[in-house]
Amino acid sequence: MKRFVAIWLVRWPIDCRRQQTPGREAPFALTSEMSGGVRLYAVNDVAAALGLGYGMTLANARAMVPELVVTQGTPEKDAERLLALADWCGRFSPWCALDGGDGIRLESTGVAHLFGGEERMLALMAGEFKKMRITARFGLADTPAVAWAAARFSGQAVTLVAPGEGPAFMEAFPVSALRLEGKVVTGLEKIGLRKISDLYAVPRAPLELRFGRQVITRLDQVTGRGAEPISPLRPAALFRTRLSWPDPIGLMSDIEIAADRLATELCRQLEKHSKGARKLELALYRADGEVERITFGTSVPSQDPKHMIRLMAERLPDLDIGFGVDVMIFSALETAPYRGQQTGFATMQATPGPASGAGEEKKQSLSQLVDRLESRIGAPHVLRLIPFESHDPARAFTVVPAMAPPSTISWPARQPRPIRLLPVPERMKMIFDGSRATNYAWRQETGAVAALDGPERLSPEWWRLALETRDYFRLQAATGQRFWVFTSAPVREKTPAQDQEWYMHGFFA
Amino acid sequence: MNSYTAKAAFQKLREDVRKLERQPSGSGAGDMMAFDCPEIDVALPWGALPRGGLHEVAVPPESPSSMFASAAGFAAALLGRASAPFGMSVWCQNRRRAQKYGQIYGPGLAAYGLDPNRLLIVNAESDAETFWVMEECLKSAAIRAVLGEVGELDLTSSRRLQLAAEKFGCPALLLRPQEKAPGNNAALTRWHIRPGVTAPGSEKDDSGQTVGWRATLWRCRGGASGEWEILWKNEAFCCHMAGAMAD
């Protein structure tokens, strides 16, 4: 049996801008540009009691309540903050999603016991929202449809519908509790179907014929016959561990201890299923409704809590923990079968000799070192260069991840190659005396040319037409530096060398 | 008796000074990396370069930025020797300085005994990151030698690196473009490298390349300075004009 929680944020836009609210007594409203001019976008309790509501034109509202205080609303910002709040609800369940523009939906199947039962879980949620001063109502039921209606139509802050009682619970509610379009609701009401119990009694086929598929779908979603899966904001991890505290902890040392416990527990889970983690995430749920996350990867599947802690430790000091953290969740986002030993790097470290046991240890420490470097410097910046068969000098090697399997090719030793290459070749000047180069100028450097060896003509592969054919030369300066310079290969061989454009590309040792 | 105690006291003082100066006193062959070039090895107080130490390779101050590649070549040769024959080495560059000094070019590394499978490249964002990377690598049992390209270097960071290198017996090489006058640091040896001026076509090795440096050892802890013309021939250092340049 599945269980779902619906959270209805009754006055979300108002809650979002509590600072601007003039006080609880004055009627207050936010406006937004809608079809037909400026309309009310959200109202506070007082204004609602005076009969104002969503969608009313500002002129009407002013006429009804002259003392109304009005501010421009910010729907986009509110939606963003709602998303952040939904993310923060990940502390209760890994499956959480937005539910329209004014609600959050969670699947609580199998998580309620973490909080001591469903009632206590709801009470805890209500407490957290109250602390953040967000007006919210909660419904818990077998299906998202019933939970949605329970939160909005029961008139209570917290409504718990017992398993199996959803359809019966819905009976007394008006048909609008089914999340139907306004047009359909009016149509149903017109023919006297005002309550949901009325709909239960009506045969389905004529109902569908007259009001469309939607009514049937919604009815099925109440009973659970029609599926309504939650597509979570973030993929739910298979392996996750969680720690929570009644009062937020704010000391980094406490967080480190907690992270240690979480990692140990997660590794125990991974071990049980013979999995190793490839990508891990530590989420810190702050008491003030924000979430801080650290995501990091390992180059080989890992079950080693110490290693995970070390990777995390690099990043923990960067976190902003605000007024404290009351829930921490550590999850393995990606896992791979754990074989108990690393592979792939084996041939690379094939040290002939007695130290074969030490070789295994070395490989492990190498992968751990790479993980540490990657987590701090960034994975794209920790790499190896592998030879690649191409005449284009910029493509004579490829960049592979540090722990990629070893390449069997070694560097081609055909021609002398520079030790350093400029990422982008730079224009330079060559001065010729007849056909002999005498001087060069590049950036602020000028000098006499002692020798110009070449050319070595390098053409790109014929299928890469966009690139030109280049003539490379080794330029030796009188002061000893040796450069790798090129000029585009003369199309007409008769173009004199001094009229060519010369480029600096690399440096020899 | 008196002279005997004085002698012992001197002996002890020498030991203490050596300890204070943190000179590696052990001289097992495994702790050293030799140039295998007698002229240089003899001039070094350890008879070779100690593995557990920080060695700085730089271009002389106020030399053009194109000379940096020569220093890089010399450092690459040292790195290749330090990690030979099967060890893993790390080369940490700075991505901010990529366009100014270029980046290491894979095909050009072959000549220095650096196998692409055994060389890890790290592109750091800042000098601070480079120091962190170097220290992490020195600590790791998987790494035989570390090279870092750094701009500025203060006494504290260099001392940290020197201590880590000494503790873990892993050579740390600093490759510096040296835009300003060199300051003090804790490196055991400090080299200035200029490209060697060789007559074109004079001495070529098997691959047809002539790589030469004029290397100045201008600071050497517990030793004298020296200057050599070094050639890199067939993946080995080779000194010509032996001792003629030493001052």
Side-chain angles (χ1 to χ4, degrees), chain A residues 118-379:
Chain A
E118 293 186 328
E119 272 154 61
R120 292 177 72 170
M121 177 177 71
L122 285 180
L124 183 74
M125 284 184 190
E128 292 290 342
F129 276 74
K130 198 169 178 191
K131 253 191 261 169
M132 294 193 281
R133 298 214 282 155
I134 297 171
T135 323
R137 293 192 176 169
F138 303 85
L140 174 61
D142 292 342
T143 62
V146 177
W148 187 91
R152 283 163 179 80
F153 286 84
S154 69
Q156 287 161 343
V158 173
T159 315
L160 205 162
V161 183
E165 298 198 346
F169 171 81
M170 295 284 278
E171 271 178 1
F173 287 161
V175 286
S176 53
L178 280 179
R179 292 177 290 170
L180 296 170
E181 283 168 28
K183 201 172 59 188
V184 179
V185 172
T186 353
L188 285 168
E189 279 171 351
K190 233 182 238 169
I191 57 166
L193 300 171
R194 287 170 198 287
K195 288 187 172 176
I196 293 178
S197 56
D198 300 337
L199 287 180
Y200 289 160
V202 179
R204 292 159 62 96
L207 205 59
E208 180 174 353
L209 214 56
R210 177 146 181 192
F211 295 104
R213 184 75 208 154
Q214 197 192 20
V215 184
I216 301 300
T217 315
R218 292 302 191 202
L219 274 175
D220 282 348
Q221 283 172 351
V222 167
T223 56
R225 223 179 304 160
E228 192 180 357
I230 280 188
S231 54
L233 289 176
R234 292 168 178 281
L238 274 178
F239 298 93
R240 69 203 287 272
T241 52
R242 181 179 184 286
L243 269 180
S244 64
W245 299 270
D247 289 311
I249 56 170
L251 280 178
M252 202 39 95
S253 56
D254 291 345
I255 288 179
E256 277 164 16
I257 294 167
D260 199 275
R261 277 177 58 187
L262 287 169
T264 313
E265 175 56 32
L266 188 76
C267 288
R268 201 173 299 144
Q269 284 184 24
L270 289 167
E271 218 169 292
K272 217 157 112 193
H273 293 86
S274 307
K275 296 274 190 192
R278 291 299 307 272
K279 199 172 164 201
L280 292 146
E281 183 194 72
L282 178 72
L284 307 178
Y285 292 85
R286 279 161 50 173
D288 55 0
E290 302 279 328
V291 190
E292 291 282 328
R293 291 170 197 277
I294 315 175
T295 315
F296 53 93
T298 59
S299 48
V300 287
S302 168
Q303 283 185 353
D304 181 0
K306 275 193 209 125
H307 181 46
M308 294 176 186
I309 295 290
R310 230 175 288 135
L311 292 178
M312 258 191 279
E314 310 290 351
R315 309 268 296 278
L316 276 178
D318 304 338
L319 290 180
D320 174 15
I321 51 173
F323 297 106
V325 169
D326 55 0
V327 173
M328 275 170 71
I329 294 177
F330 190 45
S331 39
L333 300 181
E334 279 171 30
T335 55
Y338 185 75
R339 282 185 290 273
Q341 60 179 28
Q342 278 80 22
T343 53
F345 226 54
T347 46
M348 201 179 297
Q349 291 276 326
T351 317
S356 58
E360 190 60 36
E361 207 170 279
K362 253 186 191 171
K363 246 180 292 160
Q364 176 143 356
S365 64
L366 181 63
S367 76
Q368 296 194 347
L369 172 72
V370 167
D371 289 346
R372 249 185 344 267
L373 298 182
E374 285 183 346
S375 97
R376 169 89 176 247
I377 311 290

Side-chain angles (χ1 to χ4, degrees), chain A residues 94-114:
Chain A
W95 301 275
C96 55
L98 291 184
D99 195 359
D102 62 349
I104 294 166
R105 180 192 293 182
L106 311 174
E107 183 173 340
S108 64
T109 317
V111 298
H113 72 275
L114 291 173

Side-chain angles (χ1 to χ4, degrees), chain A residues 66-88:
Chain A
E67 69 272 26
L68 181 68
V69 182
V70 174
T71 312
Q72 179 91 33
T74 49
E76 294 86 8
K77 248 189 211 165
D78 297 344
E80 249 169 54
R81 295 193 55 176
L82 182 62
L83 203 62
L85 183 69
D87 190 20
W88 180 81

Side-chain angles (χ1 to χ4, degrees), chain A residues 344-503:
Chain A
F345 226 54
T347 46
M348 201 179 297
Q349 291 276 326
T351 317
S356 58
E360 190 60 36
E361 207 170 279
K362 253 186 191 171
K363 246 180 292 160
Q364 176 143 356
S365 64
L366 181 63
S367 76
Q368 296 194 347
L369 172 72
V370 167
D371 289 346
R372 249 185 344 267
L373 298 182
E374 285 183 346
S375 97
R376 169 89 176 247
I377 311 290
H381 303 301
V382 181
L383 40 99
R384 284 188 297 126
L385 307 177
I386 293 293
F388 184 77
E389 289 285 337
S390 172
H391 291 303
D392 178 4
R395 293 184 359 118
F397 60 85
T398 46
V399 162
V400 295
M403 293 304 283
S407 123
T408 49
I409 328 167
S410 57
W411 298 112
R414 306 176 293 239
Q415 289 289 336
R417 286 287 175 262
I419 188 164
R420 295 186 88 84
L421 203 69
L422 288 172
V424 183
E426 288 177 18
R427 276 299 302 274
M428 64 179 296
K429 272 207 171 78
M430 294 281 271
I431 296 166
F432 285 85
D433 174 17
S435 64
R436 203 177 66 84
T438 55
N439 287 82
Y440 72 95
W442 167 71
R443 291 185 185 168
Q444 275 85 49
E445 297 178 22
T446 51
V449 174
L452 190 64
D453 292 339
E456 182 191 355
R457 180 159 296 184
L458 296 178
S459 347
E461 295 81 1
W462 59 264
W463 57 90
R464 304 178 73 232
L465 285 172
L467 294 172
E468 50 176 12
T469 299
R470 293 166 173 178
D471 279 344
Y472 276 88
F473 292 84
R474 271 172 293 142
L475 187 163
Q476 174 147 18
T479 42
Q481 300 103 302
R482 293 184 312 137
F483 304 107
W484 210 37
V485 302
F486 72 84
T487 172
S488 44
V491 185
R492 296 181 305 278
E493 292 289 339
K494 288 192 183 81
T495 318
Q498 53 266 44
D499 292 350
Q500 304 256 343
E501 290 188 343
W502 289 81
Y503 291 88

Side-chain angles (χ1 to χ4, degrees), chain B residues 148-170:
Chain B
E149 294 178 16
V150 293
E152 295 305 306
L153 177 73
D154 58 34
L155 200 58
T156 321
S157 330
S158 66
R159 190 149 183 79
R160 258 188 93 92
L161 284 177
Q162 164 62 30
L163 287 176
E166 195 181 318
K167 185 169 171 199
F168 298 98
C170 177

